Amino acid sequence: MGAATFCLVTITLASIVQTVPPLPPVTIPVGVNLITAVPFPEVGGNVTIDLLPILGVDLDITVPCPSVTTQAVVITPVLTANLVITVTESP
């Protein structure tokens, strides 16, 4: 059996968007790292991130390793989190 390989994941909460119809959406810049350089197992060149313990949302995101990805995640019907997910190869 081969050794497990890992990628380091950093998730930044770039902004929150509040949408309350009929008003226009309001974007609130945040810029806070939710996790920084946390190792996740690499499977087939990808990592799968469970957002439930990080953001309280029952959603898994699969992203390639290495990559920088943006992802909009609906938290409630009126709040959306804009995330920047940075995945790097582990040394």
Side-chain angles (χ1 to χ4, degrees):
M1 184 170 188
T5 58
F6 293 87
C7 293
L8 302 178
V9 175
T10 298
I11 299 178
T12 303
L13 176 59
S15 63
I16 299 266
V17 179
Q18 180 182 14
T19 308
V20 181
L23 301 174
V26 176
T27 301
I28 304 163
V30 179
V32 172
N33 286 342
L34 300 177
I35 61 172
T36 303
V38 175
F40 279 79
E42 178 184 1
V43 178
N46 295 314
V47 295
T48 299
I49 305 161
D50 179 9
L51 291 180
L52 188 59
I54 299 167
L55 206 61
V57 177
D58 192 12
L59 178 67
D60 292 344
I61 297 175
T62 301
V63 293
C65 177
S67 68
V68 176
T69 306
T70 57
Q71 179 79 38
V73 177
V74 176
I75 300 173
T76 70
V78 297
L79 291 178
T80 301
N82 290 320
L83 306 177
V84 176
I85 303 168
T86 305
V87 183
T88 58
E89 294 177 342
S90 180

